Amino acid sequence: MSEQSPTDAQTDPETAAKLAAVKKRVGRSAVIGAIFLMATSAIGPGFITQTATFTASMGAAFAFAILVSVLIDIAVQLNVWRMITSSGKRAGELANSAIPFSGHVIAILVVIGGLAFNIGNIAGGGLGLNALLGIDPKIGGLLTAALAIVIFLIKKAGKVMDIVLVVLGIGMIVMTVVVAIIAQPPVGDALRQTIVPDELNFATITTIVGGTVGGYITYSGAHRYLASGHTGPEYAGPVMRAAANGIIITGIMRYVLFLAILGVVASGVALDLSSQAANPAGQAFGSVLGEAGLRIFGAIFWAAALSSVIGAAYTSATFLSSFHKRFLGGWSLQIATVAFIVVSLIVYLSIGTAPAAILVFVGGFNGLILPIGLTVFMYIGWFRRDLLGTKKYPLVLLIAGTLVTLLTWYMGIVSVGPIFAFLGTGA
């Protein structure tokens, strides 16, 4: 009996069903992987420190900033994910196709923003080891960067790290919920100020937005999805639903963490926000769970920082492919990633700013450069839909994306001074 031809296989119901099942499973795996990368990038040491810092300084009014940040995240990610996955091109390549050299501009901004992120991530590693072992944050940052390089270069170590991060991530969620319950935050006041805040601070919104969807984070999930090969406008619906679900889940985690810190602050505990060893989130957890809770938090915080150091350096380095294709993979990309970590470490060790203040500032800085890339993508959505493989594009997404782009430009302009002030005075 002769083999089936491709045409026969296509008309065979059983074979077609098996192929469809495999395709669906692979596609689902790719989307889950992309969502995981986006989510873990959005909830790192910077986000945790920013939430604790602003909750300590603003109280329940910070709830409004969280709500706005989630809404902005949805508008940004849905547009970026849809355009990148529909076109099948990375952000820099897609931008260059629409406006010559605009992709190079985005690449430069992502690299600069990624460098800022990584300085903050190394600072977060130092704070984590300080809470866990009591060592100096600078030494902790040095050890974090060195271990990040080792894990990046040894693939098996990276796989073990992934498993450890999943376990510690679950532990972080459990600890946060426990603290939120024990601390008994003023939920009613928090809910009211989520809609009608007593205080409105654009610098805090810009910072929390930049820390969760700015810089390389804007494109990391969509770029991860491209690796699956499942691209084209026909995948737009499932991809956008998955992205929205991921953002909503991380948004809930942001709010739960906010409530946990708010309960501690409302009880009268004063958090240190500016000293060299200041770790406001760690102090909040320690005040509720005691010394053991502080140590466990330190381990989780450090692991998150370690993972973020690797992720930020690698993703930022991939944007160098906009200048030369050798950075698409191989040793060139590995060397660039290691160099990225080393430069970030040198900058961190050479500046005297407190680690917590650095973690707040880098979110704000990436929030300042976010609207530049968004402007290019909105131009593509309005005027260059031919690059997306279809003439149709949801009008509601374009309107929401355009409004968010205008809002981020305005917030960036009025927030420049306060954000750079974080470096000199803490938050």
Side-chain angles (χ1 to χ4, degrees):
M1 186 174 173
S2 62
E3 289 187 15
Q4 282 185 315
S5 68
T7 303
D8 292 330
Q10 290 173 2
T11 56
D12 177 9
E14 183 177 350
T15 303
K18 289 181 179 179
L19 290 174
V22 171
K23 185 177 180 180
K24 183 177 181 180
R25 185 165 60 251
V26 173
R28 184 186 301 116
S29 176
V31 173
I32 291 175
I35 290 297
F36 180 78
L37 178 58
M38 179 188 69
T40 53
S41 299
I43 303 180
F47 156 75
I48 295 172
T49 302
Q50 291 156 17
T51 299
T53 299
F54 292 134
T55 302
S57 60
M58 296 179 63
F62 184 58
F64 179 75
I66 294 178
L67 174 63
V68 173
S69 73
V70 172
L71 295 177
I72 290 176
D73 286 1
I74 292 175
V76 171
Q77 291 288 14
L78 291 188
N79 274 292
V80 170
W81 274 59
R82 181 167 185 130
M83 291 184 191
I84 288 178
T85 58
S86 292
S87 68
K89 298 178 180 179
R90 289 180 178 271
E93 183 183 357
L94 177 58
N96 278 335
S97 298
I99 305 174
F101 303 109
S102 63
H104 293 79
V105 174
I106 291 177
I108 292 172
L109 293 175
V110 168
V111 169
I112 294 174
L115 181 65
F117 261 129
N118 238 20
I119 295 169
N121 290 332
I122 292 174
L127 285 181
L129 287 180
N130 175 262
L132 176 63
L133 304 174
I135 64 177
D136 184 270
K138 292 287 186 181
I139 297 176
L142 175 62
L143 294 175
T144 300
L147 185 57
I149 293 173
V150 172
I151 291 176
F152 173 71
L153 294 177
I154 302 175
K155 292 183 178 180
K156 290 184 178 180
K159 293 179 180 179
V160 172
M161 184 66 186
D162 287 341
I163 297 174
V164 172
L165 281 172
V166 171
V167 174
L168 291 178
I170 295 173
M172 183 66 183
I173 293 173
V174 173
M175 283 184 65
T176 303
V177 172
V178 170
V179 171
I181 294 174
I182 296 176
Q184 297 183 334
V187 177
D189 188 30
L191 291 176
R192 177 184 66 82
Q193 297 208 53
T194 300
I195 307 299
V196 186
D198 291 342
E199 175 185 354
L200 182 60
N201 189 318
F202 284 117
T204 62
I205 299 175
T206 301
T207 298
I208 204 71
V209 167
T212 55
V213 75
Y216 76 96
I217 300 175
T218 308
Y219 315 101
S220 61
H223 280 191
R224 165 65 178 81
Y225 182 81
L226 286 182
S228 71
H230 291 67
T231 58
E234 64 271 21
Y235 290 96
V239 168
M240 287 199 302
R241 284 194 296 272
N245 289 336
I247 295 169
I248 291 172
I249 291 172
T250 57
I252 293 173
M253 268 305 299
R254 295 180 209 175
Y255 204 83
V256 172
L257 177 63
F258 155 72
L259 289 176
I261 304 297
L262 180 63
V264 173
V265 173
S267 69
V269 175
L271 303 181
D272 178 11
L273 303 178
S274 59
S275 73
Q276 281 296 319
N279 189 344
Q283 294 168 53
F285 277 70
S287 69
V288 175
L289 302 178
E291 186 71 17
L294 177 61
R295 303 298 181 191
I296 295 173
F297 173 85
I300 295 172
F301 194 84
W302 173 70
L306 179 62
S307 173
S308 296
V309 168
I310 299 171
Y314 177 78
T315 306
S316 299
T318 61
F319 271 84
L320 295 175
S321 63
S322 296
F323 301 97
H324 201 291
K325 291 184 177 180
R326 74 173 60 173
F327 292 107
L328 287 172
W331 280 104
S332 295
L333 181 59
Q334 288 187 319
I335 293 173
T337 302
V338 171
F340 209 86
I341 296 174
V342 171
V343 172
S344 302
L345 173 63
I346 292 173
V347 174
Y348 167 64
L349 294 177
S350 64
I351 60 178
T353 305
I358 295 175
L359 284 165
V360 174
F361 167 76
V362 296
F365 179 78
N366 278 280
L368 293 177
I369 63 178
L370 174 63
I372 299 175
L374 289 182
T375 301
V376 175
F377 272 78
M378 287 303 98
Y379 171 80
I380 294 172
W382 284 109
F383 305 110
R384 293 302 310 272
R385 298 178 195 176
D386 57 299
L387 298 174
L388 307 180
T390 178
K391 294 181 179 180
K392 297 180 179 179
Y393 195 88
L395 183 60
V396 65
L397 273 186
L398 284 176
I399 293 175
T402 302
L403 291 176
V404 163
T405 301
L406 295 174
L407 176 61
T408 53
W409 272 114
Y410 174 76
M411 292 194 305
I413 292 171
V414 300
S415 302
V416 172
I419 286 173
F420 275 88
F422 292 150
L423 283 176
T425 62

